[in-house]
Amino acid sequence: MELKVLGCSGGIGRGHGTTSFLINETILIDAGSGVSELPLEEMARIRHIFLTHSHLDHIHCIPLLVDSIFDAIEEPIQIHAQPDTIRALEKHLFNGVIWPDFTRLPHPERPVMRFMPMEPGQPVIVDDMTFEMFPVNHLVPTVGYRVDGPNGAFAF
């Protein structure tokens, strides 16, 4: 398992990106501003995003990431998150006012992203890794993740 820290800061500025971890070039845990430092061809490899919660420093790059690679991907990016986080994104971000609803574009039957509800204790297997949420205390519903792979494990 290859883990690359794209950002782990609470704010932005040269050399400081907000929370985002890239795993094996195709999976993100959170999508903070650090994602914007990736070249477009690397962005287009991302297939899954596991979100901890709905705060802006953890979701910042999802709208522009999806817009930037819109025509370069064949399958939708899967956004794994708690139902509360998904509802917040649908209501406040991907609502057609702040940003287009990419779960319906370019066509409802062929969207560029798809929300995948997930609950703590419910493992999700991606490639050869198991992602499992666990609840944490924060201002909004929030989780951490334990990631188990053939070469080790980590938690965030």
Side-chain angles (χ1 to χ4, degrees):
M1 172 182 346
E2 181 182 328
L3 177 65
K4 183 176 181 181
V5 178
L6 301 178
C8 62
S9 180
I12 60 171
R14 183 167 294 164
H16 298 281
T18 60
T19 307
S20 189
F21 300 91
L22 181 64
I23 304 168
N24 293 351
E25 299 184 338
T26 62
I27 302 165
L28 291 173
I29 295 181
D30 286 337
S33 63
V35 174
S36 67
E37 298 298 318
L38 293 173
L40 284 174
E41 59 272 8
E42 290 182 30
M43 288 182 190
R45 291 185 198 127
I46 295 168
R47 307 299 345 122
H48 298 267
I49 301 173
F50 288 83
L51 294 176
T52 58
H53 64 294
S54 60
H55 282 162
L56 191 58
D57 56 326
H58 295 259
I59 65 163
H60 170 186
C61 271
I62 297 172
L64 294 171
L65 165 73
V66 172
D67 193 46
S68 296
I69 62 172
F70 187 89
D71 58 354
I73 61 174
E74 296 294 322
E75 296 293 322
I77 294 175
Q78 295 184 34
I79 313 288
H80 304 269
Q82 293 186 100
D84 286 338
T85 302
I86 292 170
R87 279 191 293 277
L89 292 173
E90 290 172 331
K91 182 177 180 180
H92 301 293
L93 184 57
F94 295 104
N95 59 11
V97 176
I98 301 297
W99 206 251
D101 180 359
F102 280 111
T103 65
R104 304 190 58 71
L105 295 172
H107 190 276
E109 293 174 13
R110 223 184 122 227
V112 73
M113 67 178 224
R114 182 172 287 132
F115 288 123
M116 309 296 288
M118 189 175 171
E119 297 287 346
Q122 170 192 20
V124 170
I125 299 171
V126 176
D127 298 333
D128 57 354
M129 294 170 291
T130 302
F131 292 76
E132 188 170 346
M133 288 180 161
F134 54 88
V136 298
N137 188 20
H138 197 37
L139 299 172
V140 296
T142 304
V143 297
Y145 287 95
R146 176 184 164 93
V147 182
D148 286 295
N151 300 325
F154 75 95
F156 172 72

